[in-house]
Amino acid sequence: MTRRPRGRWRNPLCKELFFGAALASAAAPVATLGLTAAASDARAFDFFGLFGDKKPEPVADAVTYEVKFKADDHRSLANAMQSASTLYRLRKDAPPDGMALAQRAAIDLAPIVDAMWAEGFYDAAVSIDIAGVKLQLPVSEATLQAACRAAGAMRGRQVVPVTVSVNPGEQFTLSSVDVKDARGQSLTRAGLPANVLKIGDGGPARAGDLRAASARAVDWYRGQSYPLAKGVDIAATVNHDTRTMAATIVVSPGQKAPIGEVEVRNAGGARPGDGPTVDPRVIRSFIYLEPGEPYSPKKLADTRRSLTQLPILGGVRVTTPDRLDAEGRIPVFVDVTERLPRVIGFSAGYSTVDGPNLRAYWEHRNLFGGAEQLRLEGSIFVAPRNDGTRRKGVADLNEGDFGGRFRATFIKPALGGTRNDLIVEAMAERDRTGGDRYGGYTVRDVQATASIRHRISDVFSVQGGLKVERGQTSDVLSSIDYTLVGTPVSVTYDSTDNPLDATRGFKVVASATPYPSFLGSTVNFTEGKLSASTYYAVDEDARIVLAGRVTIGMLGGPRLSEIPANHRFYAGGASSVRGYRLNSLGPQDGRFGFVVGGRSLLTMNLEARIKVTDTIGVVPFFDAGNAFDSTTPHLKDRLYKSAGIGLRYYTPIGPIRADFAFPLDRRKGDRPVSMYISIGQSF
């Protein structure tokens, strides 16, 4: 926008004032960290700012003020004024005298006028009233002194009322919008779709909309393999008589070009001065760009996402230069930064129905210099009793009430520089499920799996290997000592944007494991599972995300009593149907009514993840599911349902979750409400 406000206030103190404002702005957050423990003021405990500002009180050595915004019932304009206002930003940092407050207000006038222009109100009249003295552009010295005296007279005794008002007038509209290149030729006629801009004749003449339209035009050209496309200018002519604007967006598409050479550059190790330690061939195997293929920004973003799968890489930056190479291609530079190789972690979870659990792990992210990952993980939890007795309290705990699980995982990525990864896992566990009237089972087992994962693309992979398991399970149906040798295979497609807190995309994992007797299995059966989840952001900033998941399981083989209890299907629990005890949903034995597991499984989960603030969110959810006698689930079979509300506190490492679930098909022994506390989203 080339037109500037008429009568912008000029003052020789402007530089000093802006410099002072910057210092105050930097100091303001420190000043607001104190908490007032006054029982009569609920805002003293408003840690997340949900109840607004606390009413200011007079201070002896400063001019305390309260600022309000009036915009003739235009709420969006009041918000725009507030965002542009230094008075508002520094409201908790009271100026020392009346002149400082008057000058702070005078500085506000031009930015607020600009904010009104950005909303399309080019005839807006802005004024700031300080204790009855009105400031308007241009600000005279006499008016400034009058405001100084009015504010100074209230210093230390009263809160100075400050009101920022705007008479916006009529919103201007666009009479025409054209997109041209630097030579003045119309790009709309040359192939740029009109719907890319999302603005047109008759729409509001907002400066922000024009800038967004320019960015969309540039993005469209880059998506069409024009890597050097850029916005040049936005020229606008405002007609105050007709209250219209004629706008011309100038864009330089540049030359169409394919991907050139991809260069991987290691920016250093985890500490300053460290050199590269990861084999470059490993890093290159996670880059799916090839010279000669069409350029697109999405491919660059996918490259960055793919490389973040390597835990040793702490930073990944994918860039292109501002010129093509000698062959007319666009080179790609991938700069990576390594993290510290060793990490330890700890987490805790709690459910009012399933009890507490603790987990700790140690991990090495670059064991032999090829981004090899070794992770040792152990967990301990209080297992429910399924022998008919009840715990009366902490003092009643005995050794048999604790379960545990130890897992070791080794991943060797990019075998020989290929897109094949070696994955070796081993686990030993002692677990007990059920409790109350639901029965359950006890299991002790050890298992090991070795497999190869082939990465077809950054989102698609297949995996196959060999699994050996030795264990013993017991429940009301049977007690089984078993040996299993299987060949697990799986297919994974994952286009989600964030593995810890997905907001877009979908994920599908399908797996099947046959345990044939000719390989040495004492029980011949096959188990399969399919899980599909999807995430949809309602708004551009992903403050409202709809998330859904469906899980299906199937089991084929001998009679149910011959299959180890830990391989049957159950529903219920924090990651299944919340509100019901872990593994408490499924077919029952005919004698005691204990849950014994089923041959098939169907669970469904639906959530609306709503951010109230940047750190606080609420999540209404609905779950349904059950396990069944039949080999495949049927929708006509009974599904247990639950509904609830969750709270989220978003941190840099992921959300902290607290869910309150209410079972809608309560049985005898089911609690009316269950609470789950953990880290991360439920799925």
Side-chain angles (χ1 to χ4, degrees):
M1 306 296 294
T2 56
R3 183 181 180 275
R4 302 303 300 163
R6 291 166 295 184
R8 177 183 287 275
W9 181 61
R10 302 293 181 184
N11 189 295
L13 296 178
C14 275
K15 291 184 179 180
E16 296 180 18
L17 289 172
F18 277 108
F19 180 70
L23 290 178
S25 178
V30 179
T32 61
L33 291 178
L35 295 176
T36 304
S40 61
D41 190 355
R43 291 187 178 88
F45 303 97
D46 181 21
F47 301 115
F48 306 112
L50 298 179
F51 298 103
D53 287 337
K54 182 180 177 182
K55 189 174 180 63
E57 298 291 342
V59 179
D61 57 350
V63 178
T64 308
Y65 66 92
E66 184 175 22
V67 59
K68 297 181 179 180
F69 296 89
K70 299 174 65 175
D72 291 350
D73 297 326
H74 287 267
R75 184 176 182 85
S76 62
L77 294 186
N79 292 337
M81 294 162 64
Q82 181 174 295
S83 299
S85 172
T86 302
L87 281 166
Y88 182 77
R89 286 196 301 273
L90 303 182
R91 65 195 182 282
K92 295 182 180 179
D93 182 20
D97 52 42
M99 179 55 76
L101 177 59
Q103 291 172 333
R104 186 180 291 184
I107 291 173
D108 255 2
L109 287 168
I112 292 176
V113 169
D114 286 344
M116 296 303 98
W117 284 18
E119 296 294 326
F121 294 90
Y122 294 92
D123 282 339
V126 177
S127 64
I128 300 178
D129 185 292
I130 301 178
V133 179
K134 182 180 292 187
L135 275 65
Q136 289 180 301
L137 288 175
V139 180
S140 67
E141 185 65 28
T143 305
L144 196 65
Q145 291 294 338
C148 168
R149 290 191 296 271
M154 302 174 70
R155 182 177 186 266
R157 298 186 300 105
Q158 294 175 268
V159 175
V160 179
V162 178
T163 303
V164 183
S165 303
V166 62
N167 179 9
E170 190 175 326
Q171 189 177 40
F172 284 43
T173 58
L174 292 168
S175 59
S176 64
V177 180
D178 196 10
V179 182
K180 297 182 178 181
D181 62 17
R183 296 173 297 175
Q185 296 180 346
S186 176
L187 295 175
T188 304
R189 300 190 187 122
L192 175 67
N195 60 359
V196 169
L197 302 180
K198 297 184 179 180
I199 59 173
D201 299 359
R206 288 189 287 256
D209 291 348
L210 291 171
R211 288 191 293 268
S214 175
R216 283 191 289 267
V218 170
D219 289 344
W220 185 85
Y221 275 107
R222 288 179 177 172
Q224 302 300 311
S225 295
Y226 291 85
L228 302 182
K230 62 181 179 179
V232 177
D233 190 18
I234 300 175
T237 302
V238 175
N239 188 322
H240 287 267
D241 294 331
T242 60
R243 292 181 174 81
T244 59
M245 170 190 286
T248 300
I249 298 173
V250 183
V251 172
S252 173
Q255 180 181 332
K256 197 169 188 176
I259 295 289
E261 292 299 322
V262 181
E263 181 181 350
V264 178
R265 306 182 299 195
N266 196 315
R271 296 185 179 87
D274 288 352
T277 62
V278 178
D279 186 344
R281 294 181 305 166
V282 174
I283 297 175
R284 188 64 182 84
S285 80
F286 282 82
I287 299 175
Y288 297 87
L289 293 174
E290 296 297 337
E293 68 175 288
Y295 165 89
S296 80
K298 183 179 182 302
K299 291 179 180 179
L300 303 188
D302 290 344
T303 297
R304 183 186 182 283
R305 177 183 178 275
S306 175
L307 286 171
T308 57
Q309 297 177 42
L310 289 171
I312 188 60
L313 299 183
V316 178
R317 188 166 175 259
V318 183
T319 59
T320 56
D322 57 2
R323 60 176 60 88
L324 305 180
D325 62 18
E327 300 178 23
R329 304 180 303 178
I330 187 72
V332 177
F333 302 126
V334 179
D335 295 285
V336 299
T337 305
E338 298 170 22
R339 297 195 290 182
L340 292 171
R342 298 173 184 84
V343 61
I344 59 174
F346 171 86
S347 68
Y350 180 78
S351 161
T352 56
V353 290
D354 302 322
N357 65 81
L358 301 175
R359 181 175 68 96
Y361 65 89
W362 174 89
E363 181 178 304
H364 199 300
R365 297 162 168 162
N366 193 25
L367 194 61
F368 304 119
E372 298 89 355
Q373 180 185 1
L374 175 62
R375 183 185 180 98
L376 306 178
E377 180 179 328
S379 62
I380 186 172
F381 44 86
V382 177
R385 291 181 178 177
N386 54 22
D387 57 1
T389 64
R390 286 175 171 267
R391 282 189 293 268
K392 299 178 181 179
V394 177
D396 190 33
L397 288 172
N398 57 53
E399 182 181 347
D401 289 328
F402 292 94
R405 189 173 291 112
F406 177 79
R407 187 189 305 271
T409 304
F410 174 76
I411 301 176
K412 167 61 179 173
L415 292 170
T418 67
R419 290 174 181 164
N420 299 314
D421 308 326
L422 172 66
I423 303 173
V424 180
E425 298 177 282
M427 186 187 74
E429 68 174 336
R430 179 185 184 278
D431 197 3
R432 187 171 63 202
T433 69
D436 295 334
R437 61 183 296 274
Y438 307 118
Y441 65 84
T442 301
V443 59
R444 298 177 181 84
D445 72 312
V446 294
Q447 53 184 269
T449 305
S451 57
I452 297 293
R453 176 178 60 200
H454 176 64
R455 292 175 276 111
I456 299 173
S457 71
D458 59 317
V459 297
F460 187 33
S461 65
V462 296
Q463 186 171 321
L466 182 68
K467 178 180 179 180
V468 179
E469 182 177 345
R470 181 78 176 90
Q472 186 273 334
T473 67
S474 59
D475 68 345
V476 69
L477 283 185
S478 58
S479 180
I480 305 175
D481 289 292
Y482 65 90
T483 299
L484 297 176
V485 182
T487 54
V489 293
S490 65
V491 178
T492 301
Y493 183 90
D494 185 0
S495 65
T496 56
D497 57 347
N498 186 337
L500 297 178
D501 186 14
T503 61
R504 294 175 175 87
F506 64 94
K507 181 177 181 180
V508 178
V509 180
S511 63
T513 306
Y515 296 100
S517 55
F518 66 81
L519 287 181
S521 297
T522 57
V523 185
N524 187 350
F525 69 98
T526 300
E527 60 184 355
K529 196 170 185 180
L530 171 68
S531 179
S533 56
T534 183
Y535 308 87
Y536 173 73
V538 175
D539 60 311
E540 187 174 349
D541 296 328
R543 301 191 71 85
I544 301 177
V545 177
L546 303 180
R549 179 180 64 178
V550 175
T551 302
I552 300 173
M554 293 180 289
L555 191 63
R559 293 181 304 170
L560 201 64
S561 60
E562 298 178 25
I563 298 176
N566 60 326
H567 284 270
R568 304 172 200 158
F569 289 113
Y570 308 82
S575 60
S576 176
V577 184
R578 286 162 284 190
Y580 300 92
R581 184 182 289 277
L582 178 68
N583 293 351
S584 68
L585 303 179
Q588 302 172 345
D589 77 301
R591 182 178 179 187
F592 300 103
F594 288 170
V595 176
V596 295
R599 291 181 175 275
S600 61
L601 172 74
L602 174 63
T603 63
M604 296 176 285
N605 310 94
L606 181 63
E607 293 186 348
R609 300 168 182 173
I610 304 168
K611 278 191 172 182
V612 180
T613 70
D614 289 338
T615 56
I616 300 297
V618 295
V619 181
F621 61 84
F622 176 81
D623 298 339
N626 202 359
F628 311 97
D629 285 316
S630 55
T631 304
T632 58
H634 299 287
L635 292 178
K636 65 179 182 180
D637 293 328
R638 181 178 185 181
L639 295 178
Y640 287 90
K641 300 173 287 296
S642 69
I645 188 74
L647 298 176
R648 301 290 185 271
Y649 179 62
Y650 293 92
T651 72
I653 61 172
I656 298 175
R657 170 166 59 101
D659 288 339
F660 300 86
F662 303 85
L664 302 181
D665 301 294
R666 284 183 63 193
R667 306 158 297 173
K668 184 179 179 180
D670 286 332
R671 299 186 180 186
V673 59
S674 303
M675 181 179 69
Y676 306 87
I677 299 176
S678 189
I679 297 177
Q681 297 286 9
S682 55
F683 61 90

